Amino acid sequence: MSRYLLDTNIISNVTKPRPSESLLGWMAEQIDEDLFISSFTVAEIRRGILEKPPGRKRDDLEAWFAGPEGPPALFAGRILPFDVKAAHAWARLMSDGKTAGRPRNALDTIIAATAETNGCLVVTDNERDFTGVETLNPMRGAAT
């Protein structure tokens, strides 16, 4: 049995008017209890909504976010915090990247550290930003 931490880009893809068919197929095969998001993903999505200009699109996104299909409701009980354990893992991952000459994106590394400390595989379509972290790209296939 695997636990999966969905990267923000996965949540964004699923909510598009035309989401990835392979992603939807993969998600349909999963058990909800094995799918998690990071508290940071909630923050990224909320920030994206707040940065939209006032208008219908923003209002629709606000309603979705606050409603039963929004991340806080849909993932209730399965939103993993960036806690002290994750903070220590984040520091190590950032340091390892710098030492290896491959500086990491600090924001993506928050998600990676949260996944690592909670025994999750990162599900993303942006494996490049998670180099050295076990990932799965359902739009491409196998774990890397």
Side-chain angles (χ1 to χ4, degrees), residues 38-58:
S38 166
S39 58
F40 187 68
T41 291
V42 174
E44 284 188 302
I45 293 169
R46 184 73 182 129
R47 185 194 82 203
I49 293 169
L50 293 173
E51 289 177 351
K52 297 263 184 234
R56 183 181 177 119
K57 177 73 172 172
R58 181 174 169 167

Side-chain angles (χ1 to χ4, degrees), residues 5 85 88-90 92-93 111-122 132-133:
L5 183 65
K85 282 175 50 178
H88 285 280
W90 178 86
R92 181 183 41 75
L93 289 168
I111 291 173
T114 302
E116 179 182 301
T117 59
N118 286 280
C120 296
L121 191 71
V122 176
V133 175

Side-chain angles (χ1 to χ4, degrees), residues 13-134:
N13 189 294
V14 170
T15 63
K16 288 181 178 180
R18 292 185 154 178
S20 162
E21 288 184 29
S22 60
L23 174 59
L24 292 178
W26 178 83
M27 293 207 43
E29 295 172 356
Q30 306 311 308
I31 300 168
D32 286 351
E33 290 75 28
D34 293 338
L35 301 176
F36 297 84
I37 61 172
S38 166
S39 58
F40 187 68
T41 291
V42 174
E44 284 188 302
I45 293 169
R46 184 73 182 129
R47 185 194 82 203
I49 293 169
L50 293 173
E51 289 177 351
K52 297 263 184 234
R56 183 181 177 119
K57 177 73 172 172
R58 181 174 169 167
D59 292 345
D60 289 348
L61 288 169
E62 290 272 5
W64 163 77
F65 186 84
E69 296 297 317
L74 198 59
F75 288 90
R78 294 178 290 125
I79 300 174
L80 302 175
F82 182 71
D83 59 12
V84 173
K85 282 175 50 178
H88 285 280
W90 178 86
R92 181 183 41 75
L93 289 168
M94 292 296 292
S95 176
D96 289 351
K98 184 175 182 179
T99 300
R102 292 186 318 250
R104 297 178 184 267
N105 176 297
L107 302 180
D108 287 330
T109 306
I110 290 172
I111 291 173
T114 302
E116 179 182 301
T117 59
N118 286 280
C120 296
L121 191 71
V122 176
V123 178
T124 185
D125 69 348
N126 189 14
E127 304 102 319
R128 185 182 45 153
D129 285 344
F130 292 93
T131 301
V133 175
E134 193 174 6

